[in-house]
Amino acid sequence: MTDYQTHKALVLDYYRALDNASGDAITEAIAPYFSESVDFKAVHPFNEITNIERVAGEIWQPLHSAFSHLQRRMDVFFAGTSIDGESDWVVSMGHFMGLHDRAWLGIRPTGRIAMIRYADFNQVKDGKIVQTGFFVDIIGVMKQAGINPLPTQTGAELITPGPRTHDGLLFDAHPPEEGAATLDLLHRMIDDLVATYGKRMLADELRRTWCEDMAWYGPSGIGATYSVERYQKQHQYPFREGFKDFSLNGHVARFAEGHYAGFFGWPNLTLTPVGGFLGLPANDQPTHMRVVDIYRREGDKLAENWVLIDIPWWLQQQGIDVLARTEAHAS
């Protein structure tokens, strides 16, 4: 039986080492927790990095430098074996909070609190982290700095809350049958989504796997929504009507523990814009989306869903470099 508690302890030790280090000391602090040939997948502009020195120098050092007194505020933490039956993962989700005192990715400092939404997947093997999927909501940081690179979003802009039940930090072990039930529900929900791609999904079809008062927390640029009816109106229909030729590419990791499940893909989806989504025109070229989903099950239905999308990378595929444009306007 897999010892998820040992995997969790390793990741928590890594977080403590990272969160208490700064500057050049970050590399030395985090290196013991990673294999020599790490596969670190991060949102654009970082993308794929295979060297821990570059991970520290390109991701963590600039983040810690730009946001003073940076602290990690976890809302969800759990572990499991992915559906490949071989890879073990630990996921953390929440926010980094700090004072935005210096520019980050061309985003001008505000001197005020910034909440940086994140999800961090770590694959553990032989006592080391061998693969990471690290997502942050860069568009959300832009908006907090008064920069809005996208048209008005369909959902609400807010600091995303953690689980309504306040039980998302699974530091202790949980019965395997609970995680199996959560994963089974997730698979049934995915099957329903795939079966209805290309058309409007009926509310009753959604209600087969979702609570009536479901909460869906999308990334900045799309926003959050609440209840089956408003989710369909404020996200699902605009999303489906903005694309054609949906293709599900699978996930790097998909797993569950207790009442929580999550996945990420690299990329998850391939689709072709027909116009309108995020205010963009039609594009005949297929585009790809890197997406994170974290779910909370309540009874036999899904109650909450936290979603992160690498929107800057999706825009980049269409010739829109929001980071370069932001940096140019800040100078």
Side-chain angles (χ1 to χ4, degrees), residues 76-118:
V76 172
F77 181 82
F78 63 93
T81 299
S82 187
I83 55 173
D84 61 9
E86 298 178 358
S87 57
D88 298 332
W89 293 80
V90 179
V91 63
S92 162
M93 184 200 77
H95 293 82
F96 293 106
M97 185 179 82
L99 297 171
H100 194 175
D101 287 338
R102 284 162 288 279
W104 182 65
L105 300 178
I107 305 169
R108 58 178 175 251
T110 66
R112 299 190 294 270
I113 287 176
M115 300 294 287
I116 309 165
R117 190 177 171 196
Y118 83 91

Side-chain angles (χ1 to χ4, degrees), residues 42-217:
V43 294
H44 181 77
F46 311 112
N47 299 300
E48 296 189 44
I49 304 174
T50 57
N51 178 290
I52 199 62
E53 288 79 12
R54 285 187 54 208
V55 170
E58 296 176 22
I59 297 178
W60 296 122
Q61 289 177 19
L63 189 69
H64 280 245
S65 175
F67 299 93
S68 303
H69 306 291
L70 191 69
Q71 61 178 234
R72 183 188 305 268
R73 302 172 71 91
M74 287 195 294
D75 293 315
V76 172
F77 181 82
F78 63 93
T81 299
S82 187
I83 55 173
D84 61 9
E86 298 178 358
S87 57
D88 298 332
W89 293 80
V90 179
V91 63
S92 162
M93 184 200 77
H95 293 82
F96 293 106
M97 185 179 82
L99 297 171
H100 194 175
D101 287 338
R102 284 162 288 279
W104 182 65
L105 300 178
I107 305 169
R108 58 178 175 251
T110 66
R112 299 190 294 270
I113 287 176
M115 300 294 287
I116 309 165
R117 190 177 171 196
Y118 83 91
D120 186 40
F121 289 75
N122 288 287
Q123 182 188 355
V124 179
K125 183 178 181 180
D126 298 328
K128 299 286 186 179
I129 297 168
V130 298
Q131 185 175 191
T132 292
F134 179 65
F135 285 65
V136 290
D137 192 342
I138 294 172
I139 302 294
V141 179
M142 288 181 174
K143 287 191 174 183
Q144 291 172 64
I147 303 163
N148 189 354
L150 298 168
T152 303
Q153 62 189 36
T154 51
E157 183 75 18
L158 46 78
I159 299 300
T160 306
R164 180 185 181 187
T165 47
H166 302 283
D167 61 356
L169 299 175
L170 277 58
F171 296 132
D172 297 325
H174 284 69
E177 57 271 20
E178 290 290 346
T182 304
L183 198 57
D184 176 70
L185 175 60
L186 178 60
H187 290 165
R188 287 189 280 118
M189 183 275 295
I190 292 172
D191 288 343
D192 285 348
L193 288 179
V194 172
T196 58
Y197 275 158
K199 63 179 182 180
R200 282 201 167 203
M201 189 177 190
L202 299 177
D204 284 345
E205 292 175 316
L206 199 63
R207 292 185 178 105
R208 286 201 290 253
T209 54
W210 290 93
C211 295
E212 184 67 34
D213 62 348
M214 63 174 288
W216 189 89
Y217 307 112

Side-chain angles (χ1 to χ4, degrees), residues 267-305:
N268 309 48
L269 294 170
T270 299
L271 23 69
T272 303
V274 298
F277 184 68
L278 298 188
L280 294 175
N283 187 330
D284 290 334
Q285 296 298 316
T287 58
H288 310 287
M289 280 190 175
R290 302 165 175 168
V291 185
V292 162
D293 278 82
I294 303 292
Y295 299 87
R296 180 178 70 84
R297 173 174 63 87
E298 189 169 291
D300 61 352
K301 299 287 180 71
L302 296 170
E304 295 183 277
N305 182 196

Side-chain angles (χ1 to χ4, degrees), residues 17-32 56-57 60-61 64:
L18 171 61
D19 296 348
N20 290 319
S22 61
D24 294 339
I26 291 178
T27 302
E28 184 178 355
I30 68 175
W60 296 122
Q61 289 177 19
H64 280 245

